[in-house]
Amino acid sequence: MIAEIDVRAVLSRSGCEFHSDLVTRSTGRAVRSGIEAHLQEHPDVSVVVLDFSAVRVLDCSCADEVVAQLLRRSAPGAGGPAAFLVLRGLDEVHADQIDQVLRRQDLALVAEERGGGRRLLGRVGELTRAAWERVARRGSAAAEDVASELACSLDDARDALDELVGRRLVTRAADQYFPLPAA
Amino acid sequence: MTAVVSVPPSLDERSFEGFATDLAQVPADAARVLLDAHATEWASPFGLAALLCAGQALGDRHGRRALLTVPADRDVAHYWARAGFFAEAEALFELHGAVPRARQPSESAVLLEVTPVRVAADVHRVVDRIQERAAAILTTGLGLEPKATLGFGMALSEACQNIVEHAGTGGWVAVQAYTWRRRLGRRVVVIAAADAGVGFRHTLEPTQAKRFGDRWGDGAALEAALIQGVSRFRDPGRGQGLRGIRNVVDRWGGKIAIRSGTARIAIIPAWDEDVPLKEGLAAFPGAQLQVVVPEAERPAP
């Protein structure tokens, strides 16, 4: 099941109803707690789409608390809600901000910008990023397809794709790899 | 005995060093301290915020409010009132001279009056207010991209949060727009965020002093924070605020400088001739940050 969460609405419900900006670490913590509480009430959620469309200013501290911490806590074995995370409605400025925050912590996730384009934010290897781009563009791909397009060995392509699966950036069914659903 | 320290005629981050040197020489047993600003003709946001820090530090040190003479020039005094200086100074200084009544700042140059920052809610208020006022000046006045307002709000937020999270006391933030005729020949928007708290060295000492060894001091602490992005917290997600400010300031060809204790560090754009790190300055408590965002260079006709 896919859950779409309006981050601005969570901000309002988190006792910050008079503020329209995602700034300060304490605000970020409150918003993240709100999101985690929602996910605990809905344990069948497998993909969480965080919608930033109504967010104006986002600072690094808040991006760390809301996005990076949520990502770290939802990693396998981290004890948090085990769901795939996708960001939507990001302004270019927000996307750059989150990208920097994730890179610093060797994290990565899929984001959909306000124009609709998808990009991978954060730090991943060159081949892994290229593999993600192929899967995202094709809608699905096998390791053979990626190896052929990137002119790399099948083992390298498979390693890159499996890394993407492990980092929850694509899904896998049998020998096919798929981009994360976000609708 | 009353010790008198003259406030420079033009008080900005450069002339502040002379002021800080004079201030550091005030005897600890001076009965009162008078900051004499009667001949001051101009003060930058940094100057106004730092003057408040001086007032707070003197009050803490001498156990009573310092004296401050109001600028004799009526226009200057009115400007300081419009910039919100006296509203904050009243609690820190015994003011001498005619203090103009504070009016709503109609002047577009004052994007944000000198505003106290103590808790996270203050940061929200500051960011909220600046969004409306800064949009026009950043895009039309400075020729920056329309989205610059978002980055500006982020930088302002992080500057304020440094005070809330690390100073151990409150501080002030102010934002103004004006023209740097001699230094740059272009319009600039300047953010100043200052406090008289514990400073970077004290904040980072428990986690960083050992790593730096003999080099440890105010300069090393500033280097660790601004260049290396370290924080007193071990969480890898911390310490990103100053880096975030650097990113947006770099994009606009701007400048960031931070003074703390006896040192000052700066990321210097091509248009400026500052030095990256100064050490051995006169001791001044807390941390004082200044961000300068210049008007975009227009292509030659």
Side-chain angles (χ1 to χ4, degrees), chain B residues 15-295:
Chain B
S15 62
F16 175 76
E17 292 308 330
F19 173 71
T21 301
D22 293 346
L23 205 59
Q25 288 168 1
V26 169
D29 60 353
R32 311 260 354 224
V33 181
L34 167 67
L35 303 186
D36 183 6
H38 90 276
T40 303
E41 295 169 345
W42 187 80
S44 69
F46 181 96
L48 293 177
L51 203 51
L52 292 173
C53 292
Q56 183 180 334
L58 288 169
D60 291 346
R61 186 170 147 199
H62 295 275
R64 61 190 300 192
R65 287 187 301 167
L67 308 162
L68 175 69
T69 55
V70 173
D73 186 305
R74 278 178 57 82
D75 290 341
V76 175
H78 274 284
Y79 188 78
W80 286 26
R82 286 198 300 277
F85 174 79
F86 292 121
E88 294 300 309
E90 279 169 353
L92 301 168
F93 294 102
E94 190 178 301
L95 296 172
H96 287 260
V99 176
R101 281 184 62 185
R103 287 174 297 177
Q104 288 296 318
S106 55
E107 192 157 350
S108 63
V110 180
L111 295 177
L112 182 75
E113 306 86 22
V114 176
T115 302
V117 177
R118 295 185 183 89
V119 293
D122 295 333
V123 182
H124 276 278
R125 270 192 289 276
V126 163
V127 172
D128 201 41
R129 286 167 65 182
I130 204 72
Q131 288 300 304
E132 295 166 13
R133 295 191 191 178
I137 190 74
L138 289 174
T139 54
T140 311
L142 300 193
L144 301 179
E145 57 194 339
K147 289 173 184 169
T149 319
L150 299 180
F152 191 79
M154 184 282 293
L156 191 60
S157 168
E158 294 294 354
C160 292
Q161 282 182 81
N162 261 339
I163 297 173
V164 174
E165 296 215 352
H166 304 297
T169 180
W172 296 271
V173 61
V175 185
Q176 291 182 18
Y178 45 84
T179 302
W180 271 7
R181 285 196 178 81
R182 273 182 294 181
R183 282 178 75 174
L184 183 62
R186 281 187 266 160
R187 282 178 70 75
V188 293
V189 170
V190 177
I191 297 174
D195 67 77
V198 297
F200 278 73
R201 183 178 56 77
H202 179 88
T203 301
L204 295 177
E205 200 151 78
T207 57
Q208 301 299 317
K210 203 171 172 183
R211 186 164 72 89
F212 280 84
D214 291 344
R215 273 200 61 218
W216 181 247
D218 291 312
L222 285 170
E223 185 186 314
L226 185 64
I227 309 298
Q228 299 165 14
V230 303
S231 154
R232 70 186 157 115
F233 301 101
R234 298 198 187 274
D235 182 337
R238 306 297 294 246
Q240 306 197 61
L242 289 176
R243 186 174 292 250
I245 299 175
R246 275 188 64 184
N247 286 342
V248 295
V249 169
D250 284 350
R251 186 184 304 167
W252 301 327
K255 177 180 176 183
I256 176 171
I258 309 172
R259 190 195 196 285
S260 186
T262 58
R264 180 177 175 279
I265 195 166
I267 305 291
I268 305 158
W271 50 261
D272 199 64
E273 293 176 350
D274 205 344
V275 293
L277 181 66
K278 278 184 195 166
E279 296 182 274
L281 302 173
F284 191 80
Q288 298 80 43
L289 173 150
Q290 177 172 270
V291 169
V292 180
V293 181
E295 180 181 355

Side-chain angles (χ1 to χ4, degrees), chain A residues 111 114 123 181:
Chain A
R114 285 185 184 165
R123 191 186 300 279

Side-chain angles (χ1 to χ4, degrees), chain A residues 11 16 18-27 29 56-62 64-65 69 72 91-94 96-97 100-102 104-105 114, chain B residues 120-121 123-125 127-128 131-132 147 149-151 153-154 157-158 161 165 228-231 235-241 243-245 247-248 251:
Chain A
L11 175 68
C16 309
F18 302 115
H19 307 308
S20 53
D21 299 308
L22 272 179
V23 296
T24 79
R25 205 161 269 283
S26 52
T27 299
R29 275 195 287 268
R56 193 173 54 171
V57 178
L58 171 72
D59 70 15
C60 301
S61 304
C62 222
D64 177 59
E65 286 291 341
Q69 299 281 356
R72 280 160 66 180
D91 184 275
E92 190 187 337
V93 177
H94 299 154
D96 289 347
Q97 213 90 283
Q100 293 296 325
V101 166
L102 295 179
R104 189 178 152 106
Q105 300 176 63
R114 285 185 184 165
Chain B
V123 182
H124 276 278
R125 270 192 289 276
V127 172
D128 201 41
Q131 288 300 304
E132 295 166 13
K147 289 173 184 169
T149 319
L150 299 180
M154 184 282 293
S157 168
E158 294 294 354
Q161 282 182 81
E165 296 215 352
Q228 299 165 14
V230 303
S231 154
D235 182 337
R238 306 297 294 246
Q240 306 197 61
R243 186 174 292 250
I245 299 175
N247 286 342
V248 295
R251 186 184 304 167

Side-chain angles (χ1 to χ4, degrees), chain A:
Chain A
M1 180 181 155
I2 299 174
E4 291 189 47
I5 298 176
D6 180 344
V7 178
R8 175 68 181 80
V10 178
L11 175 68
S12 299
R13 289 197 298 272
S14 305
C16 309
E17 66 269 34
F18 302 115
H19 307 308
S20 53
D21 299 308
L22 272 179
V23 296
T24 79
R25 205 161 269 283
S26 52
T27 299
R29 275 195 287 268
V31 170
R32 174 166 44 79
S33 296
I35 294 168
E36 287 176 335
H38 177 86
L39 295 178
Q40 276 176 353
E41 288 169 14
H42 302 86
D44 52 340
V45 168
S46 55
V47 179
V48 183
V49 180
L50 296 182
D51 189 348
F52 283 76
S53 303
V55 171
R56 193 173 54 171
V57 178
L58 171 72
D59 70 15
C60 301
S61 304
C62 222
D64 177 59
E65 286 291 341
V66 176
V67 181
Q69 299 281 356
L70 201 58
L71 195 56
R72 280 160 66 180
R73 291 155 77 106
S74 67
F84 291 87
L85 196 60
V86 177
L87 307 186
R88 172 183 288 166
L90 288 180
D91 184 275
E92 190 187 337
V93 177
H94 299 154
D96 289 347
Q97 213 90 283
I98 294 170
D99 185 54
Q100 293 296 325
V101 166
L102 295 179
R103 278 176 189 273
R104 189 178 152 106
Q105 300 176 63
D106 281 334
L107 296 171
L109 55 64
V110 177
E112 204 173 275
E113 292 182 311
R114 285 185 184 165
R118 279 193 164 199
R119 71 186 261 208
L120 205 52
L121 300 181
R123 191 186 300 279
V124 291
E126 203 175 316
L127 181 65
T128 309
R129 183 176 292 274
W132 178 84
E133 284 165 359
R134 296 305 185 282
V135 173
R137 201 181 57 219
R138 293 169 62 107
S140 74
E144 290 78 5
D145 304 322
V146 172
S148 165
E149 285 200 32
L150 297 179
C152 65
S153 72
L154 186 58
D155 282 348
D156 285 348
R158 196 168 281 133
D159 286 350
L161 290 163
D162 287 343
E163 184 191 337
L164 290 168
V165 173
R167 298 181 73 178
R168 299 182 171 227
L169 300 168
V170 300
T171 59
R172 178 180 180 176
D175 62 349
Q176 290 290 309
Y177 297 83
F178 300 89
L180 298 184

